[in-house]
């Protein structure tokens, strides 16, 4: 994907050494989301790690839905996840895979463990099981059901599978060691009874495997060489290995963990993201303020910038929080290079140029340094929109915009000098009157009186009214995940909508998802869903400068 040589990290080193030593011949990774929410920036990291490693080592990466919790999962999430992975620029190897398509094999392997005396049906209630489990400092106690015979376990488990028992009345557990210092090895649960309809398997299964039981075996079925997950699974690795060692699996995958990506001013807990959606703090999972991939996309963040950021933050085994300004800066750098320039007046004020009567077409470059972005024709005439912020009747020297009696350059056009303004009954300025200084298209004024600054403008005759949504960070706190109530730290100013902005006609015609640099204002994207040429809608992607770091001081 990137032409640069990838920086080394422990996963790349591991895989290279496995290949060198012949431990593996093919590198096969997988991205295994549970379809219980939209993917977020943390998942983007996992996607770039898994697909990136496969790509780097000429291997393959699978997309596998880890769909073992039917109640929380849905087709909507399955669809959005596939779309997000594709949008990020990756192609999974083969068909989309589902843990649920291995349910029969997993069930057979559970019977195999029973037959080996390595699994048993347990009738303890959830509460009793907790007591028997012990704690970090105390060993657990054997369940009174631990010594059921193989025959009895088999019969009971088959009845569980046939739907004979009520939800929660029994579980299947591995028989490992109730005194293990690792709680994950204290006879973990393999199957629960849950008479829930599944989005893929319907009502075929009244029992569902746990993540711990299912995951490694799914990897083994698919021939995954390196099963890469985040650090919270480190303590589960002995269990992962136990299953692989004790089952007749077709391959021997190994698990490797890396630190999750955490960014400041962001929550990535699916539960909290769902709460923001459900409680109406945002308009949906793909609201441009959401750290979801669908949200970032709708915000105008380019996939390439997200990938670049994920590479830049590195892959390690130490937890840290990355300043979200790093992501924003990756976006800004990418767009500075690639986004076409255009003009948009956010808060329009009418400017009348009294010595101009005919309109003319000016040709403006779309990018200051990349000619391949071409140029466009912009109408210039006697009546223009300028931004209300760019005019003052009087001002001190620091104000380098339009002032009565002073000059300014109109971007890509002429120098003008303001003469007067009209005000409404409320004292608000309605119109500014100015004169064009002849001979100043691309030239300094002949009289030597140079303008102090440059302002942007849009022709009143051809400009189009647009809706512009100005977004700010969704949270007021750098660590919103810490807040007891995530709703309490939502930034009330995170969205301000302008309905009377005016943009160049050419920008109105742009396809949805086109990003522009609106000169002097920032980067804006034509909304993926709401933008239409006759009713343009633009979202602020990111400002031209990082204003937050300045505030944080
Ligand atoms: P949960 O399991 O609580 O629903 P999850 O964030 O772990 O949430 P999954 O769908 O299981 O969601 O995640 C799919 C993959 O993405 C997993 O391998 C997980 O480790 C990885 N992942 C999730 N969040 C991050 C993160 N912040 N940084 C890096 N990888 C992540
Ligand atoms: Mg998970």
């Amino acid at each position: 994907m990137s032409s640069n040589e990838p920086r080394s990290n422990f996963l790349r080193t591991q895989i290279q050494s496995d290949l060198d030593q012949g431990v593996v011949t093919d590198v096969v990774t997988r991205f295994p989301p549970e379809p219980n929410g939209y993917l977020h920036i943390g998942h983007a990291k996992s996607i770039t790690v898994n697909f990136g490693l496969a790509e780097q080592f000429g291997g393959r990466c699978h997309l596998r839905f880890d769909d073992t919790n039917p109640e929380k999962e849905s087709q909507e999430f399955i669809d959005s996840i596939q779309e997000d992975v594709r949008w990020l620029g990756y192609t999974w190897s083969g068909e989309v895979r589902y843990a649920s398509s291995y349910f029969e094999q997993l069930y057979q392997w559970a019977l195999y463990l029973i037959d080996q005396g390595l699994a048993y049906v347990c009738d303890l209630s959830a509460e009793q099981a907790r007591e028997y489990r012990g704690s970090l400092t105390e060993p657990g106690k054997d369940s009174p059901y631990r010594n059921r015979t193989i025959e009895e376990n088999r019969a009971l488990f088959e009845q569980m599978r046939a739907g004979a028992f009520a939800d929660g009345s029994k579980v299947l557990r591995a028989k490992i060691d109730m005194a293990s210092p690792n709680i994950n090895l204290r006879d973990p649960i393999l199957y629960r009874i849950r008479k829930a309809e599944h989005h893929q398997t319907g009502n075929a299964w009244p029992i569902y495997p746990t993540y711990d039981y299912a995951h490694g075996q799914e990897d083994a079925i698919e021939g995954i060489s390196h099963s890469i997950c985040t650090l919270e699974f480190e303590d589960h690795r002995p269990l992962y290995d136990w299953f692989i060692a004790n089952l007749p699996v077709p391959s021997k995958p190994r698990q490797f963990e890396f630190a999750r990506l955490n960014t400041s001013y962001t929550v990535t807990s699916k539960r909290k993201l769902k709460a923001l959606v459900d409680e109406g703090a945002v308009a949906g999972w793909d609201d441009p303020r959401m750290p979801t991939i669908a949200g970032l996309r709708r915000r105008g963040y380019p996939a390439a910038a997200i990938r670049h950021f994920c590479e830049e933050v590195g892959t390690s085994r130490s937890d840290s929080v990355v300043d979200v300004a790093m992501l924003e800066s990756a976006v800004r750098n990418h767009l500075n290079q690639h986004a076409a320039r255009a003009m948009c007046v956010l808060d329009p004020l009418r400017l009348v140029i009294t010595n101009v009567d005919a309109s003319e077409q000016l040709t403006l470059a779309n990018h200051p340094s990349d000619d391949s972005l071409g140029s466009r024709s912009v109408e210039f005439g006697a009546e223009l929109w300028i931004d209300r912020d760019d005019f003052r009747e009087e001002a001190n020297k620091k104000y380098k915009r339009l002032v009565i009696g002073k000059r300014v350059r109109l971007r890509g056009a002429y120098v003008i000098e303001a003469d007067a303004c009209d005000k409404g009954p409320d004292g608000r300025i309605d119109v500014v009157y100015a004169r064009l200084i002849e001979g100043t298209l691309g030239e300094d004024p002949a009289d030597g009186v140079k303008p102090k600054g440059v302002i942007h403008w849009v022709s009143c005759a051809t400009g189009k009214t647009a809706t512009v949504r100005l977004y700010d960070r969704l949270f007021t706190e750098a660590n919103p995940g810490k807040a007891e109530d995530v709703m309490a730290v939502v930034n009330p100013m995170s969205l301000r909508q302008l309905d009377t902005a005016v943009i160049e006609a050419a920008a109105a015609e742009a396809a949805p998802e086109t990003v522009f640099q609106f000169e002097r204002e920032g980067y804006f994207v034509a909304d993926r869903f709401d933008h239409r040429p006759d009713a343009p809608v633009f979202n602020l992607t990111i400002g031209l400068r990082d204003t937050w770091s300045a505030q944080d001081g």
Side-chain angles (χ1 to χ4, degrees), residues 265 328 472-473 475-476 491 546-553:
Y265 291 98
E328 294 167 348
D472 200 345
R473 287 185 185 163
F475 300 106
T476 51
N491 176 4
D546 177 6
T547 49
W548 274 78
S549 294
Q551 281 172 30
D552 295 348

Side-chain angles (χ1 to χ4, degrees), residues 76-121:
E76 178 194 355
F77 298 137
I78 291 177
D79 295 341
S80 72
I81 289 169
Q82 294 185 50
E83 181 164 26
D84 289 347
V85 173
R86 268 193 233 107
W87 178 76
L88 273 175
Y90 297 102
T91 308
W92 50 89
S93 170
E95 298 286 299
V96 172
R97 291 163 167 88
Y98 294 88
S100 54
S101 56
Y102 311 132
F103 280 174
E104 181 60 31
Q105 176 67 78
L106 292 169
Y107 174 71
Q108 294 301 328
W109 279 335
L111 289 170
Y112 178 93
L113 288 175
I114 291 173
D115 289 347
Q116 303 293 308
L118 292 175
Y120 64 98
V121 173

Side-chain angles (χ1 to χ4, degrees), residues 30-36 39-43 45-46 50 66 211 228-230 232-233 258-262 268 270:
R30 85 283 171 267
F31 173 62
E34 184 176 358
N36 63 353
L39 298 183
H40 53 63
I41 184 71
H43 294 116
K45 174 69 194 170
S46 176
N50 281 294
D66 213 331
Y211 173 91
I228 296 159
C229 60
T230 35
E232 70 272 23
F233 292 104
F258 71 99
R260 297 176 86 83
L261 168 65
N262 302 300
T268 47
K270 284 183 201 160

